[in-house]
Structures are given as structure tokens and as C-alpha cells.
Amino acid sequence: GEDVEQSLFLSVREGDSSVINCTYTDSSSTYLYWYKQEPGAGLQLLTYIFSNMDMKQDQRLTVLLNKKDKHLSLRIADTQTGDSAIYFCAESKRTGTYKYIFGTGTRLKVLA
Amino acid sequence: SQTIHQWPATLVQPVGSPLSLECTVEGTSNPNLYWYRQAAGRGLQLLFYSVGIGQISSEVPQNLSASRPQDRQFILSSKKLLLSDSGFYLCAWSKQGARTNEQYFGPGTRLTVT
């Protein structure tokens, strides 16, 4: 199957850490991505992780991948009001078209 | 550097009218191109993708069509819009043969069918 699921909403206080979770069902996925969408805008690629990795860190962002449980998470350290947005995870396989399967998106609200 | 443009940014069209949305990419050659639709409060649905000029694959049956008349131009069309065609349309590109297959998105077109 090809389903990618995310919780719909997350609220955190400014300065706290945010953890956004994603589960997927297709174990043949090779790359997993995190995108950020601000209101009325397109999607901005934040980071990605290869399926043979467990963790990737990029400044305030930490991606954790549990391939056994098919669970992906994005941790944002020191969350700021500018981080308020919808976050999408996506998976990709190395087929000829390199299509993505997107999650439903998690709306992150940062409270001042 | 590469940039991706979409226009118009917003569009209000009556039911039954035609549609043409345009997407262009600069700074790269022979990209993979994609059209997505995002309904209000929902995730992204892949509509079409293209790996080259004149090569279009459709993901879902609908009254929309896509064309790629030039290497870096991708057009989404309809002969007669339906109310259900309302949504946020996003164009994206990726580099052919890239191992990591990152997709880069345009700013989107907000379509309201009345």
C-alpha cells in the first residue's frame, strides 16, 4: 500500500521543541522528505533522509527514521513563531518517474 | 540557480469556462515536471508528470489535461471547469537522474470556480 499519515495539528510554545510525526506503509521507499508550506505559498523543501540512515541533523532540524516501524519524525529545536506552517512528509521510490507520495500535512502553531 | 514560476497567482472562473495555467522553470534543462492539486485543508494530489517534451502521464482521471510544448514549460488546461476543480495548483520540478530526487515547488495558483 501507499499511505502516508500525519497528525493534523500540533501546538507548541515559542522556544520549546516541536516533534512532527509521519508513518508510511511502503518499505521500498528510498528517500523521505520534509516540506514546509506557509499560508498561500508553495512547498519549501526542508530536508530529506535516505532510507538506510537513522538520523540526520541540519541546524535546528533533526530527522529520525525508524525503518522497522516505518516511522519518520521531524524535530524542530527552539521553535519560533516563524515556524508556524503546515509540514508535509513525503516518500519517494527509485522508479522511473520518481513520484512522491505525500502525507496529509501537520499544521504547526507556535504560541508566543 | 533554478527558479520556477507559475501564473496567474489567483484565478476566479465560472463553471464551464476553459482553464490554462502555466509553469516555467529557469536555470535547468530537461527537468521532470509535475502538477499537483491541493484541496482546502488537505494534502497534495499528483495530477500529471512529464519526463520530457510531449511526454505526459496522468495520475487521476478528470477533466484536466496537461501539455509540455517546450522543455521548461508545463501547462495545465481544461475545456470546461467544474466546481470540484477549485483548489491550489502547484507545479514542481526535479532534476532528471538525480539520486536524491528532490522536488522544488512553484508559488502556486489559487483557482476558485464559481
Side-chain angles (χ1 to χ4, degrees), chain B:
Chain B
S1 65
Q2 299 86 11
T3 55
I4 178 169
H5 304 280
Q6 287 186 245
W7 63 88
T10 60
L11 192 59
V12 180
Q13 292 282 95
V15 167
S17 63
L19 173 74
S20 181
L21 303 181
E22 189 164 344
C23 170
T24 58
V25 181
E26 295 177 356
T28 189
S29 296
N30 198 27
N32 294 322
L33 295 171
Y34 309 84
W35 276 113
Y36 289 89
R37 176 170 58 203
Q38 184 178 27
R42 301 183 67 179
L44 279 76
Q45 179 186 36
L46 178 64
L47 302 175
F48 302 94
Y49 65 89
S50 171
V51 299
I53 296 174
Q55 300 179 63
I56 309 295
S57 295
S58 174
E59 287 296 293
V60 292
Q62 59 209 321
N63 70 322
L64 299 171
S65 62
S67 61
R68 185 170 176 174
Q70 300 181 48
D71 181 45
R72 288 168 288 178
Q73 184 184 29
F74 206 23
I75 297 172
L76 183 70
S77 304
S78 173
K79 292 182 179 178
K80 288 185 178 181
L81 283 168
L82 306 173
L83 283 174
S84 58
D85 291 324
S86 293
F88 192 49
Y89 288 83
L90 290 157
C91 181
W93 74 274
S94 67
K95 187 179 172 71
Q96 285 252 7
R99 186 173 63 93
T100 51
N101 190 33
E102 300 103 290
Q103 290 187 17
Y104 300 96
F105 284 78
T109 294
R110 173 81 54 195
L111 172 66
T112 303
V113 182
T114 60

Side-chain angles (χ1 to χ4, degrees), chain A residues 21-91:
Chain A
N21 295 302
C22 171
T23 57
Y24 59 100
T25 57
D26 193 336
S27 59
S28 67
S29 295
T30 53
Y31 283 94
L32 297 123
Y33 309 82
W34 283 104
Y35 283 84
K36 176 184 179 183
Q37 185 182 33
E38 296 185 8
L43 274 69
Q44 174 193 357
L45 176 65
L46 292 176
T47 187
Y48 60 86
I49 188 168
F50 188 44
S51 59
N52 69 350
M53 298 170 63
D54 297 325
M55 185 183 83
K56 181 179 180 181
Q57 187 156 1
D58 184 0
Q59 298 182 339
R60 292 192 297 125
L61 304 180
T62 303
V63 179
L64 295 178
L65 176 60
N66 182 329
K67 197 171 182 181
K68 175 176 171 290
D69 294 337
K70 300 186 183 67
H71 183 263
L72 180 73
S73 68
L74 174 69
R75 178 178 180 270
I76 306 173
D78 187 24
T79 312
Q80 303 297 308
T81 54
D83 295 323
S84 293
I86 302 175
Y87 290 80
F88 292 94
C89 64
E91 59 175 344

